Amino acid sequence: MAEIERESMEYDVVIVGGGPAGLSAAIRLKQLDPDLNVVLLEKGSEVGAHILSGAVLDTCGLDALLPDWQSMDAPIKTEVKEDNFYILGPAGQARIPNWPMPPFMNNHGKYIVSMANVCRWMAGVAEGLGVEIFPGMSCSQLVYEGDRVVGVVAGEFGLGEDGQPGPNYEPGMELRGKYVFLAEGVRGSLSKEVIAKYDLSKGHCPQKFGIGMKEIWEIDPAKHREGTVTHTMGWPLGSNAGGGSFIYHLENNQVYVGFVVHLNYANPHLYPYMEFQRFKHHPMVADLLAGGKRVAYGARAISEGGWQSMPKMVAPGVALLGCSVGMVNVPRIKGNHNAMLSGKAAAEAAFDAIKAGREGDELAAYETEVRTGPIGKDLKKVRNVKPLWSKFGLVASLMGGGADMWLNTIGLTLFGTLKHGKTDAQATGKAKDFKKIDYPKPDGKLSFDRLTNVAFSFTNHDESQPAHLKLKDPSLPIRVNLPEYDEPAQRYCPAGVYEVIGEGAEARFQINFQNCVHCKTCDIKDPTQNINWTTPQGGDGPNYPNM
């Protein structure tokens, strides 16, 4: 394709991503200096359209950013009143008492929220302060000058299936800034490029991930207990994979039902989506949902590596925020508070730099604040839970991890800092070494097939554009992944994007990119690392209502 000429616009700070990290950065920049020119670009059709999280919100990040949020009509109303934790077996459950857990594991005083709606509200706050927010604007490229990131290309539309400009082609614009903040969420395509280009993961453990799937249910009012939080572990995953579930009772007789599978599982026959559907048939869950109806579905990857896996967060002209770095506290199942704190910290570092006449350098003060401030302290306490779980299983992580968390509250540790081993892709075993798993057929009442559920994510992609899921070698899925791993893309994708059509010499690999819910699991878990997730044109993807 010939060199494309694009118009450009200049800003002080360009922010990619309208999640809690990006919005917090935008708000804080304008709090510090209303005259700063700040733009925020969001690939979803609106802010919140691509936001999916549990979520029980620890408001410490919001308290630091907007101390008066409770008087600002924030959609944060349902305070946690009851906090339950169960180990499940096939037909029963055992409750784990709350008292052995460290105080920071307590959910009382936290809030059950839709982070999609929280982000919509935060976008209104940001716009009220003068932030320019452009939804429906995918950022497809970084703009470099020498070794420095100076901006992004946003708003390119109208490429044909062959990747060439079509009749309605719009080249997009270059949005340039003194600093660029990448707040794309987990495994963002631009963040991935920056991490690789500047070797930011050097000296750090590989990032670890989970796949989180979530449904919203309207249930019988007689069974609804607003403010109740329930977490489970154990069945149906057993020894096949790490993970667990959450059930949160919010307002209006609705519950969030979610299921997380750690992506370091070895058995390539594992089918995370069907594990989620099977989970809902547990007697405890089935009784709660009986007579109700599912009203929404979605999925996204979760960064789980924690303290050991956070890469260097800055390079010349660019900073990584929130889940672009990986700031989820795995045992607490919380990351939104750290995302907000990271946005605030990045904004303060950029403000100081611009005030001092600097631009395009590394915001070292931001990284120092993340690692030594509240975020680092939050993550360092729990740093050994995930590696213990990965190496020794659920019981070891509960006992050894629990003891280590207690000791970390007083500055001690049993294990020092345990390392993560392989990447999640490398953890995938060969199909011949594992038994296939027989999953029951969805009943259409409690459990559903993938394509039916994807319709409840309100996902849409313009079919005339190039597929945003790129294969480095188109022959690998059938030539290598199918004979060696039974092509696990057929199963690890929670949206039915990947199919093997036909058998033997007639087999072919099909990508139904229109179904993609932008979870990034394929980019993470493909055993040959052959799939590269890139951003489709702006406005495409899921349109989550109140996930």
Side-chain angles (χ1 to χ4, degrees):
M1 192 161 64
E3 185 71 24
I4 296 170
E5 291 187 10
R6 296 184 171 94
E7 296 181 11
S8 66
M9 295 180 67
E10 300 285 341
Y11 291 89
D12 290 305
V13 181
V14 175
I15 302 171
V16 180
L23 288 163
S24 296
I27 289 168
R28 186 60 180 149
L29 283 163
K30 296 297 273 188
Q31 287 175 335
L32 290 165
D33 184 352
D35 293 329
L36 285 173
N37 292 318
V38 180
V39 64
L40 185 147
L41 305 161
E42 165 56 42
K43 67 182 172 67
S45 60
E46 62 171 346
V47 171
H50 290 178
I51 298 295
L52 185 149
S53 183
V56 173
L57 179 65
D58 180 338
T59 61
C60 65
L62 199 57
D63 294 338
L65 181 71
L66 295 166
D68 299 326
W69 64 265
Q70 288 179 304
S71 62
M72 297 172 66
D73 200 30
I76 304 171
K77 310 291 185 186
T78 306
E79 190 169 353
V80 175
K81 299 173 184 173
E82 187 178 344
D83 196 6
N84 304 309
F85 181 68
Y86 292 93
I87 301 291
L88 299 187
Q93 65 276 344
R95 182 172 179 186
I96 304 297
N98 293 41
W99 61 263
M101 299 182 189
F104 59 76
M105 294 291 289
N106 189 348
N107 282 306
H108 288 86
K110 313 301 185 291
Y111 290 83
I112 301 169
V113 300
S114 157
M115 281 309 298
N117 289 338
V118 170
C119 287
R120 291 182 177 102
W121 167 76
M122 290 179 72
V125 174
E127 287 182 316
L129 292 170
V131 177
E132 293 183 38
I133 297 181
F134 297 138
M137 294 285 276
S138 286
C139 297
S140 52
Q141 298 177 44
L142 290 163
V143 181
Y144 297 95
E145 282 184 2
D147 194 43
R148 168 191 162 193
V149 175
V150 296
V152 297
V153 173
E156 187 175 33
F157 288 91
L159 290 174
E161 289 184 41
D162 60 359
Q164 298 298 312
N168 300 313
Y169 178 68
E170 298 176 26
M173 296 186 67
E174 287 188 3
L175 291 98
R176 292 172 167 253
K178 295 172 182 173
Y179 295 98
V180 175
F181 290 173
L182 299 182
E184 301 172 287
V186 176
R187 197 76 163 195
S189 51
L190 300 185
S191 302
K192 185 179 167 185
E193 178 180 328
V194 165
I195 290 169
K197 178 179 174 65
Y198 297 100
D199 199 14
L200 301 185
S201 289
K202 184 179 180 180
H204 303 280
C205 288
Q207 187 59 263
K208 306 296 286 183
F209 299 92
I211 172 64
M213 297 153 285
K214 177 180 174 183
E215 295 171 355
I216 304 177
W217 280 72
E218 291 179 359
I219 64 168
D220 182 346
K223 301 175 183 178
H224 187 255
R225 303 187 305 280
E226 186 173 314
T228 296
V229 164
T230 299
H231 293 108
T232 79
M233 302 169 85
W235 190 89
L237 290 173
S239 61
N240 280 325
S245 83
F246 59 86
I247 301 172
Y248 302 155
H249 291 243
L250 61 158
E251 58 266 27
N252 301 322
N253 298 316
Q254 289 192 332
V255 293
Y256 294 146
V257 182
F259 199 79
V260 176
V261 178
H262 299 171
L263 287 175
N264 62 350
Y265 61 83
N267 185 346
H269 302 298
L270 188 84
Y271 195 160
Y273 175 84
M274 289 307 298
E275 296 286 348
F276 176 31
Q277 299 308 302
R278 184 160 63 164
F279 158 76
K280 290 181 291 175
H281 286 273
H282 188 277
M284 184 181 83
V285 186
D287 179 67
L288 175 69
L289 300 181
K293 65 176 181 178
R294 160 223 44 185
V295 297
Y297 166 75
R300 61 161 289 179
I302 304 164
S303 58
E304 296 185 338
W307 174 258
Q308 300 92 316
S309 296
M310 292 194 299
K312 184 180 177 184
M313 302 162 209
V314 294
V318 64
L320 308 181
L321 278 56
C323 279
S324 294
V325 174
M327 298 181 180
V328 172
N329 183 314
V330 170
R332 294 185 72 202
I333 320 178
K334 291 177 179 59
N336 291 304
H337 62 300
N338 285 336
M340 292 178 181
L341 289 170
S342 78
K344 178 176 177 290
E348 289 167 355
F351 166 73
D352 288 342
I354 293 168
K355 186 178 177 182
R358 291 159 38 211
E359 62 177 274
D361 59 340
E362 294 189 1
L363 292 172
Y366 162 60
E367 176 139 8
T368 298
E369 171 60 22
V370 169
R371 295 195 186 274
T372 63
I375 298 171
K377 290 173 180 158
D378 182 53
L379 296 178
K380 199 167 185 181
K381 290 176 186 174
V382 302
R383 65 192 182 279
N384 291 322
V385 174
K386 170 68 174 174
L388 280 170
W389 198 343
S390 299
K391 293 173 184 176
F392 303 111
L394 174 58
V395 174
S397 73
L398 285 174
M399 299 182 67
D404 195 56
M405 285 192 293
W406 265 112
L407 285 171
N408 268 279
T409 63
I410 57 172
L412 302 174
T413 176
L414 281 175
F415 306 107
T417 299
L418 297 176
K419 302 294 185 184
H420 298 299
K422 304 173 181 176
T423 67
D424 293 331
Q426 292 166 340
T428 311
K430 299 295 180 68
K432 64 181 176 58
D433 297 327
F434 296 90
K435 291 183 179 178
K436 289 192 174 183
I437 303 172
D438 183 23
Y439 290 101
K441 185 177 179 180
D443 67 357
K445 297 176 182 178
L446 290 176
S447 50
F448 312 96
D449 67 80
R450 276 187 302 190
L451 295 185
T452 299
N453 238 359
V454 168
F456 285 79
S457 69
F458 313 104
T459 294
N460 183 63
H461 292 86
D462 184 343
E463 297 186 14
S464 66
Q465 66 185 300
H468 62 282
L469 303 158
K470 314 287 189 186
L471 299 180
K472 298 172 188 174
D473 180 348
S475 74
L476 270 180
I478 301 302
R479 182 169 57 84
V480 177
N481 281 2
L482 185 59
E484 295 200 12
Y485 305 99
D486 194 26
E487 185 43 270
Q490 301 174 91
R491 293 173 294 281
Y492 60 58
C493 173
V497 169
Y498 302 101
E499 291 183 278
V500 173
I501 308 294
E503 296 180 356
E506 303 298 317
R508 62 183 177 86
F509 191 60
Q510 180 165 300
I511 301 176
N512 306 304
F513 75 88
Q514 300 89 342
N515 294 353
C516 179
V517 294
H518 298 197
C519 75
K520 319 290 179 64
T521 302
C522 55
D523 194 293
I524 296 162
K525 186 60 177 170
D526 181 63
T528 52
Q529 286 294 274
N530 188 45
I531 300 173
N532 186 32
W533 195 99
T534 64
T535 185
Q537 67 183 24
D540 286 1
N543 283 281
Y544 294 136
N546 57 330
M547 279 293 195

